[in-house]
Structures are given as structure tokens and as C-alpha cells.
Amino acid sequence: MSAIDVKGLTKCYGGKPVVDRVSLRVDEGEIVGFLGPNGSGKTTTIRMICGLLTPDAGSGTVLGHDVIRDSLRIKTQVGYMTQRFSFYEDLTIAENLTFVARLYRLHPVASEVDRTLNALGLAPRRDQLAGTLSGGWKQRLALAACIMHAPKLLLLDEPTAGVDPKARRDFWDEIHHLAADGLTVLVSTHYMDEAERCHRIGYISNGKMIATGTVDQVVRDSGLSTFVVRGQNLERIAESLAKLPGIEQVAPFGNSLHVVGTDQTALNKAMASLEAESGIRVSPGETSLEDVFIKFMSASNNKNSVVENQSPKDTGNRNGNTGGPARG
Amino acid sequence: MATPGDQPVASWLSTQRLSAVLAKEFIQMRRDRVTFAMMLGVPLMQLILFGYAINNDPRGLPAALVDNSRDHYSRAVVAAMETSGYYRFVEIAATAAAAEDLLARGGVAFVVTIPSDFGKRVDRNQHPQLLVEADASDPAASSNAIGALNNIVTRALARQRSSHVVPDSSELEIVVHRRYNPEGISQYNIVPGLLGVILQMTMVMMTSMALTRESERGTMENLLAMPATPTEIMLGKILPYLVVGAVQVVVVLGAARLLFSVPFLGSLTLLLTGVLIFVLSLVMLGYAISTVARTQMQAMQLTFFFFLPSLLLSGFMFPYRGMPAWAQVLGEFFPLTHFLRVIRALMLKGSHWHTIHGEMWVLVAFVIAFTGLALVRFRNTLD
Ligand SMILES: Nc1ncnc2c1ncn2[C@@H]1O[C@H](COP(=O)(O)OP(=O)(O)OP(=O)(O)O)[C@@H](O)[C@H]1O
Ligand SMILES: [Mg+2]
């Protein structure tokens, strides 16, 4: 049985579909990454899955319960971590967790709370008001609260935004640990390295699920090839390369350029002429997931005149300076 | 770095910065439609409502007549009293006992008793007497009507006698019994009423924030994602205020006794039952408001939108019987109106269950109606 099996989920705001016939299957014990640009409908989809929003169309089951009718039953077995911190700022960490423990009818409350506090390293701050916590600590509290009742399914909406690398690593280790015990996780993220730690990913754009599969599958299906260019005067070369046919993205990575395109022959031709110049070395490179996503984003931008707000959120990659979508 | 507009950054008033703040405030004001409507519509509505409804010289007060004389004198007196505008006889053939009950119930503000020897004494100039019992639990309501009475009756009798050519020398004696508050102490009326007003103020205001606070702070999403049913959320949010209400009741009733020596004649159990039902209706009303309002600001405005008319139309500030009929009908839609009747009847008149149960059931109906509204309006999702 799959933990999530929904078909054709649709949600409209102001007559416009912001989630458009999204279908998703997540098997038990699987960690699925949910990616897509800002405003593409990730949060809206997750809210429909956990019963916080009523879909305008679509059907399916979550943990075997009907996603439309059985939302109370779903809620008891799902842990949902909201994108925006939504615990009580005027309660302490321990008080917030006690509240949650009681809502889920955990027994005995005090020891469940203590266990959770210790497991997530929150114990030293147990009596601090949640409102005075730093951003990263708020995330930890939220995570603690949504795994405390041992849910079968975790829905995490950008759980690691603003969390330091060590805590992020710990968090993902914990997620994998829980998944090994059969927990299913659907996690939305903008971080490429996190996407790569998922068993599978789904990419949503303008409310439509446009790619699903393992990271390798998604990269392969994109049909992109990549070359790495090294040498002098890379800025000037980048500018001229971007204008050439067959080249869709040119992105500086430290002392090298990543050149990405779909049209294999045009790309090869451009690289061959570039290699002729002195002091330039061209070698075949590996297409990254980020390259694929940037292609998705520019493709959807060209297709629809809708201006998506693609403020280049830090993608968490090695250099994080890919800039906006490169023009093809 | 050049500063835009060539103005020194440190100037204490920059028109550009000021206009930035102004423009933003106007945009926000315009977005909040409810506030906008409240600012324009409410003052106008209240002006009209209260301008016509409130009357410090209440007229047309309901009265019952116990006429033991039944002659042309008594008919003339009754006719003159009605013509004066102060009295409106709703019961003209009452027995003394029935009239007494009507007064206790609040059905009439006066009982006018004409003795059997009234006409005889008028004819013989033997100090004719007229007994007027006034419900003085609200002293302000009856004072003008009583003040005018002597004049009204003397003139009526004079007209009658002149046709019989009887010398005009008799002294009319009007015996006034101020019932339930013989000294006409206005605190006796106001202090029990204040309990209702104070309860209403705090209960409705606090509970009207119950849900809007959650949605404004963004905690609603989390609360709804966890397995709490609408009933659990509702009860969890209103029950604490019953405790707050209980404390207020003890404080106000204690102070009424100690500071103002307000009499307490009725049954304490009945009073506490009435208070409990009243407070329940208030917290449910507040909670219903919080399911309607989108922000705490709106909740506050809706509360005041409700609060002011209830203060003025319930009979707390102005005599209920002195208002025009349409305003009285409007007044019936406030729990406070009915609570005031219950608590005044219990504290000042020592009423029993059979005289106040009607008002109690109305309060129960409010509880049911507000609860229904809240549960229907409550959204279990973020849609
Ligand atoms: N209550 C609402 N009313 C109108 N439009 C809404 C509402 N909620 C969401 N939207 C719109 O729906 C679209 C999808 O929003 P959603 O929050 O699901 O995006 P997202 O993928 O989670 O974005 P992000 O990565 O920035 O969190 C957006 O265009 C947003 O403006
Ligand atoms: Mg989101």
C-alpha cells in the first residue's frame, strides 16, 4: 500500500488553478523530495494532502484513508511541519510540546515531552519562550513537535530553511533513520543537496507536476549535456557563449564555466570552436540537478507569460551563484 | 552615496518620508473593508438609532388599573391619565392580585388602584384618595409620570365637578408606593445592571479574539493540522472565560452588597443559574464573532458594534419602557436585556422562578443560537 496516492488534485484561487491536476504516489518508507520554484504550488499541494485545504477536484488516499472525507483520521497519523513557524510564541518549548502531546493523546505526557526534548537537543532550552528562539531553533522545535507522536507520514514544508549545515546534516540523518523504520516522508525544499538525499523527487511548476523519478532519472530525462570550460578570461567567454545557438545555460563555478544545452550537435560544435582558442580547456561534465531545474524554470517562463517570482533563493549548492535562469 | 531628493537625511520631517507612511496607511485602510464600513456606516446608524430611541422623559408606560369604584369619576381619571401620554393602560379590569403579579413580572410599570368610595369622597370633598404603586426598581423611569400625576387627576376631577356645580375645594390625595426600591436609590437599579454590563464587556471581547488571534499569528494552520475537533477547540477556548466570569460575579455581587448595600431578596441559586446561562450566551456570542471576523481588529469592532446598542437599548442606561416600540423590539435581541430583567427581579423584587422563567428560556435560546452559528461558521480548513 502506498502512503500517499492522490490523483488529479486541483486547487483554484480566484479562478486560476494554482495546483493543476497533480498526481502523486509515495510508497511506505520512501523519502520523496518536492521541488519547484516559489509560488509553484508546493505548500498548497501539501495542505491538500493533510486535509488543511479542500481540493476543488481530485481524489485519493493518504495512509489508506480518503483524502477528502477522512481528514481527522489522517491528521492523527500525519506530522505536518508548516513552512512558516506556527507554534505559540508566548509558550515555552516544553509547554508547546506538552500541548501537542495532549492533542495527540500521548501517555504519559511528561515523559513523552522529555524524550522528545532530549532526542532533538532541545532540553537545555526547554523553558525558553518559543518567540525568543532563533530561526534555526524554531525549526527544530517544529520538527520535534511533528515527530513526537510517531506519525506514519511526515509532510515537511521547507523544514531546513535557515538551519545551519551541521543541524541540517543531523536533521537528514534523523529523517533517513526514521524512514528505515518505515516512516514515509514528503519534503519540500529548495536545496539541491537535499533533493539528492531523497529516494525520489517530484518537480512542480506552475501548479503542474512536470517531472518525477530518482535524481538520475530526472537528469537523464532532461536530455541535457554539460561541458566544463577552464582557462583565462572566462567572463568574456561566458558572455559570447550565451549568445551561441544550442547553449542554454552558462554558469560560472569558481574557476570554471558550466555550459549546458539540449541540442547535442550544436553544443559539440560550439565547444569544438571554443577549444581551438588558446588557453581554453573543454571537458565533458556531469549535468547537475540544478541545471535541470533551471532549464525547467526558463522553459516554463517562456511558455507562459506569467511572471513567476523567481528571486534566486540560495540553492544551497557549492557556490550558490548561478544567478537567475540563464537565457537559452 | 547620494541621498534621493537632495534632502538631508537627518531632517526631522521629510515630506517624502511622511507621504510614504501616509500612502501606506491609506492603502491598508482601504483594504480592510470591514473597518472602512464601520467608520462610515456605524456612526450614522447609531446616531439615528439612538437619537430616536432614547428618551429621558419616558411616556406610554404600561399600567394596570384596579378600579373598585367604576363610576364616571374613575373613568375620567383613567382617560385623563391616558391623554397625558405618560400612562398606557394595558389592563383595566385587574384584580389586586393579578395586578401585583404583573408588576412583579415587569409587565406593567404602575398599578393604579381606585378605592370604592372614590366618587363619594369627591362629591363630599372628603379628600379622595388614589393609590399608585410604581415599579421603582428603575426610579428614573417612573419619576416624571408620578410627578405629573397630581396635576392630571386634579384637572380631570375639576372638569367633572364643574358640570355638577360642586364647589372646588377638595384636596386630592395621591398615595404613591415606590415598590422594590422605596427610597428611589438609583444604585439599586444600576449596580445589578452593571454586573451584566461588565460581564458582557469582558466575555464577548475576550472570546471574540479566540480564533482571530490564532489566524493572525499563523498558529491556526498548525492547530488545524493536529487532530482537534471543532467542538474541542470551541469548548477549550470558551471554558476558561467561564472561570473569569465567575470571579467577576463574586467581585461585583460582593461589592454591591458591601459598598452599595443593594438588597438581595431572591434565591441565590436562581441568580447563579441566570448568571451562568447569561455568561454562556456571551462567550458563545464572542466565539461566533471570532468565526466571522478575519482579524482581531475586526473582532474588536464587531464587539463594539454589538456592545453600544445593547447598553442603550437593553434598559441599562435608559428606561426600556420609555423607548418607542420598534426600539423595544430591537432591545429584545440582546441577552443583556433579558439578564437585566432577571437580575433586577431577583435582587430587588425577590421574584420566584415562575415570574422569571420566560426570560431564562430566552437566554437559553441565545446560547443555542450562538453555538449553532459558531459551529456552522467554523472552518476546519484554511479555505
Ligand atoms: N489564500 C490564497 N489566496 C490566493 N492565492 C493563493 C493563496 N494561497 C496561495 N496562493 C497562490 O498559490 C500559488 C502557490 O502557492 P504555494 O504557497 O503553494 O507555493 P509554494 O510552491 O509553496 O511556494 P514557496 O516555494 O515560495 O513556498 C501562489 O501563486 C500563491 O500566490
Ligand atoms: Mg511554500
Side-chain angles (χ1 to χ4, degrees), chain A residues 14-316:
Chain A
K16 253 182 36 193
V18 300
V19 172
D20 194 359
R21 283 162 289 166
V22 164
S23 300
L24 185 66
R25 251 190 89 132
V26 179
D27 286 330
E28 262 174 33
E30 221 182 357
I31 302 175
V32 172
F34 197 17
L35 295 103
N38 292 139
S40 53
K42 300 183 295 297
T43 300
T44 311
T45 306
I46 292 176
R47 283 176 175 170
M48 284 192 279
I49 290 172
C50 69
L52 274 178
L53 287 174
T54 320
D56 293 326
S59 61
T61 58
V62 173
L63 298 170
H65 304 298
D66 188 283
V67 72
I68 314 277
R69 281 179 283 110
D70 274 346
S71 60
L72 188 63
R73 254 199 225 119
I74 292 175
K75 283 174 187 177
T76 58
Q77 296 171 19
V78 170
Y80 170 46
M81 179 169 165
T82 56
Q83 180 170 6
R84 178 183 159 189
F85 182 73
S86 53
F87 282 89
Y88 298 95
E89 304 215 327
D90 44 1
L91 262 55
T92 64
I93 289 184
E95 287 163 348
N96 267 304
L97 290 179
T98 306
F99 172 67
V100 174
R102 289 195 176 126
L103 273 188
Y104 285 103
R105 303 203 285 175
L106 302 183
H107 272 292
V109 172
S111 68
E112 287 290 328
V113 169
D114 284 340
R115 185 183 55 76
T116 312
L117 284 169
N118 291 325
L120 281 116
L122 290 164
R125 291 173 182 259
R126 58 176 296 150
D127 294 322
Q128 189 175 346
L129 290 180
T132 64
L133 291 171
S134 74
W137 281 94
K138 281 184 181 169
Q139 298 288 86
R140 284 191 214 192
L141 165 58
L143 181 70
C146 75
I147 60 175
M148 181 162 51
H149 64 289
K152 291 186 186 153
L153 171 66
L154 268 187
L155 301 171
L156 308 171
D157 200 354
E158 298 192 32
T160 55
V163 172
D164 70 51
K166 168 77 166 62
R168 221 145 63 84
R169 174 76 57 87
D170 293 347
F171 169 82
W172 275 95
D173 288 347
E174 176 75 13
I175 294 294
H176 273 276
H177 192 71
L178 292 168
D181 294 341
L183 178 79
T184 312
V185 183
L186 177 65
V187 50
S188 84
T189 178
H190 290 289
Y191 295 117
M192 292 306 129
D193 60 327
E194 293 189 350
E196 279 160 8
R197 298 190 74 166
C198 296
H199 299 132
R200 273 195 313 134
I201 58 167
Y203 185 89
I204 188 172
S205 170
N206 276 321
K208 292 193 183 65
M209 194 71 96
I210 59 174
T212 49
T214 63
V215 171
D216 287 343
Q217 277 168 350
V218 170
V219 171
R220 207 179 324 119
D221 292 350
S222 73
L224 287 178
S225 326
T226 301
F227 287 93
V228 181
V229 179
R230 290 172 208 278
Q232 307 294 311
N233 275 332
L234 286 182
E235 280 96 58
R236 189 184 49 74
I237 293 172
E239 256 174 53
S240 55
L241 273 181
K243 293 186 194 111
L244 291 180
I247 293 178
E248 288 166 22
Q249 299 170 26
V250 182
F253 275 66
N255 295 325
S256 63
L257 283 180
H258 280 209
V259 183
V260 183
T262 334
D263 187 342
Q264 191 77 43
T265 47
L267 192 62
N268 283 341
K269 216 175 99 201
M271 288 301 112
S273 62
L274 187 64
E275 222 171 356
E277 285 183 37
S278 62
I280 301 287
R281 277 178 298 125
V282 177
S283 53
E286 221 173 281
T287 305
S288 72
L289 194 56
E290 182 167 300
D291 300 328
V292 178
F293 287 167
I294 288 176
K295 180 199 160 200
F296 284 153
M297 290 190 196
S298 36
S300 72
N301 263 9
N302 294 346
K303 250 192 308 217
N304 309 302
S305 52
V306 196
V307 183
E308 282 289 343
N309 175 18
Q310 287 178 356
S311 62
K313 229 179 196 183
D314 181 11
T315 48

